[in-house]
Amino acid sequence: MGADIAQFEKQLGSFRRTAVLVPLIDGGLWTADRGRVRWICAFSDEAALARFAVVRGDGAREWAYQRILGARLLDVAVPALGVPGGVALDVGSDDGTVFPPVAGIVPDSAVVSA
């Protein structure tokens, strides 16, 4: 269990320092609601976004996106959602990761308590 936590912390640190791609829709960041959480959908690179688009059946259309630093998504965009939110990285892939609205990941103002 401790190794899993250490691995996640390493992944979180890397995500915070990396610019990721976030598709744009209707002038804003693309999000998806799952349960009671709104997830900002982000992709590690154009290839990951393209694979997702193909699986969705939207591979033929052009996807507008913005390149955003992971830290900015977690520290600014998530709290701006106005509802419980997090970031889903590489949705639908075997390497997908979620950064949920919990302490240590998002600012205290955006943390969801149990």
Side-chain angles (χ1 to χ4, degrees):
M1 179 109 170
D4 291 340
I5 292 171
Q7 177 62 26
F8 181 78
E9 288 174 348
K10 182 178 175 183
Q11 205 171 18
L12 175 62
S14 177
F15 176 75
R16 292 183 69 77
R17 294 184 302 273
T18 302
V20 294
L21 310 180
V22 181
L24 303 173
I25 188 164
D26 299 328
L29 303 179
W30 185 43
T31 62
D33 293 341
R34 180 81 174 171
R36 293 182 291 192
V37 177
R38 179 160 299 155
W39 297 96
I40 297 171
C41 301
F43 297 88
S44 55
D45 54 32
E46 288 179 343
L49 175 56
R51 283 189 301 273
F52 177 76
V54 168
V55 169
R56 261 181 74 91
D58 286 335
R61 80 171 174 94
E62 183 175 331
W63 286 68
Y65 61 82
Q66 185 172 354
R67 193 174 301 271
I68 305 173
L69 194 62
R72 187 160 176 82
L73 284 176
L74 294 172
D75 298 343
V76 178
V78 167
L81 292 172
V83 297
V87 176
L89 179 65
D90 293 335
V91 177
S93 76
D94 292 338
D95 299 326
T97 303
V98 295
F99 300 102
V102 298
I105 296 178
V106 298
D108 289 344
S109 63
V111 168
V112 175
S113 58

